[in-house]
Amino acid sequence: MVTTLAIDCGGGGIKASVLDEAGTMRARPLRVPTPYPLPPELFVRTLLDLGGRLPTADRLTVGVPGMIRHGVVVATPHYVTRSGPRSRVDPDLLAEWSGWDARGALADAFGVPALVLNDAEVHGAGVVAGTGCELVLTLGTGLGSALFDGGVLAPHLELSHAPVRWGTTYDTYVGEPERRRLGDAFWSRRIRQVVDGLRPVFRWDRLYLGGGNSRLIRPEQLARMGDDVVVVPNTAGIVGGVRAWELSVGRRDART
């Protein structure tokens, strides 16, 4: 039986567990706060320390916020900052993370085949049905997104950095700081407005709302979004670590 160490990396915390081939957790998930400042070397050590507290696994899946192409970091919004999300960008960290081969570094550090994707893509792998056009939006520190067509993962787009109104990005418009400022009721209304605005863009068959804050959407706002919008558990960010390997077939996204 092949086991997978799945690590879900966020702006505020990093969670991990070990899963069997069916996606069943073989250990209670562990979580540690995301340390800042966070150069790639500390990122690797943090994941190694977390994985060392869990049963050994045959392979590794890591979901990282930002633009990841073939395991290489193109851009990551939080880890290049001095003290975490919404703080000042550190030019040295920006240079270290840009073009960093995360997949290669983690495969070498753990000594097992590694798969590194955007965190919303791993989340989506854990929930999509594999039929039709399926969009995944994760609500947490910011906004994550992943698009699937017939279970095939589309090229990643950083929707979170697109302007939604008055020069404000989606990341800022619906992220955790705004939820705290607005309160759940007004924030939930804002989520519905975002869903309504994206519907004619994607024409999805099913929209999945995940991430840690999805459970805070008010029921009355969720009902107004339509039957094709579903809230899914945040644990999908870990459970998807197994199914994500199916997405890599033919894409050369895994490295031993």
Side-chain angles (χ1 to χ4, degrees):
M1 179 176 61
V2 176
T3 55
T4 304
L5 170 60
I7 306 180
D8 182 15
C9 304
I14 299 174
K15 304 182 291 294
S17 185
V18 172
L19 308 100
D20 62 21
E21 290 176 328
T24 302
M25 293 187 190
R26 299 176 59 87
R28 177 176 295 182
L30 300 179
R31 182 186 187 278
V32 296
T34 304
Y36 290 99
L38 185 60
E41 293 79 6
L42 177 57
F43 178 76
V44 173
R45 291 202 306 271
T46 301
L47 270 55
L48 277 173
D49 290 344
L50 189 58
R53 296 160 54 190
L54 291 164
T56 57
D58 301 305
R59 62 188 185 184
L60 169 69
T61 305
V62 179
V64 181
M67 179 75 77
I68 312 296
R69 287 182 180 152
H70 308 293
V72 175
V73 178
V74 177
T76 181
H78 311 309
Y79 300 161
V80 298
T81 62
R82 298 179 187 272
S83 56
R86 308 293 190 270
S87 65
R88 181 175 299 180
V89 171
D90 185 315
D92 293 334
L93 288 175
L94 182 63
E96 288 187 62
W97 278 97
S98 298
W100 180 58
D101 183 4
R103 179 186 58 191
L106 290 169
D108 290 344
F110 281 85
V112 297
L115 180 64
V116 180
L117 297 170
N118 170 270
D119 54 343
E121 294 175 344
V122 178
H123 196 108
V127 300
V128 295
T131 58
C133 181
E134 300 175 281
L135 178 65
V136 180
L137 297 178
T138 54
L139 306 169
T141 304
L143 177 72
S145 64
L147 183 65
F148 298 79
D149 182 21
V152 177
L153 178 63
H156 183 67
L157 302 176
E158 274 295 82
L159 178 63
S160 61
H161 292 170
V164 59
R165 60 185 302 185
W166 303 319
T168 302
T169 65
Y170 283 97
D171 228 13
T172 301
Y173 192 60
V174 298
E176 173 63 5
E178 277 296 275
R179 186 197 66 81
R180 290 181 178 179
R181 185 182 72 85
L182 294 171
D184 288 345
F186 285 101
W187 175 81
S188 296
R189 183 184 302 173
R190 183 169 286 188
I191 295 298
R192 178 177 58 80
Q193 292 170 344
V194 167
V195 168
D196 289 345
L198 293 178
R199 182 181 294 276
V201 176
F202 290 96
R203 297 285 183 175
W204 57 70
D205 293 299
R206 183 64 58 89
L207 167 63
Y208 302 92
L209 299 177
N213 285 346
S214 61
R215 60 185 175 82
L216 302 176
I217 300 173
R218 292 294 180 87
E220 65 273 14
Q221 296 298 335
L222 182 62
R224 294 181 65 182
M225 294 182 202
D227 295 337
D228 57 351
V229 180
V230 180
V231 171
V232 294
N234 193 35
T235 52
I238 294 178
V239 175
V242 174
R243 290 187 67 194
W245 282 81
E246 300 174 13
L247 305 177
S248 71
V249 175
R251 293 178 49 196
R252 308 176 70 88
D253 276 344
R255 177 179 295 176
T256 56

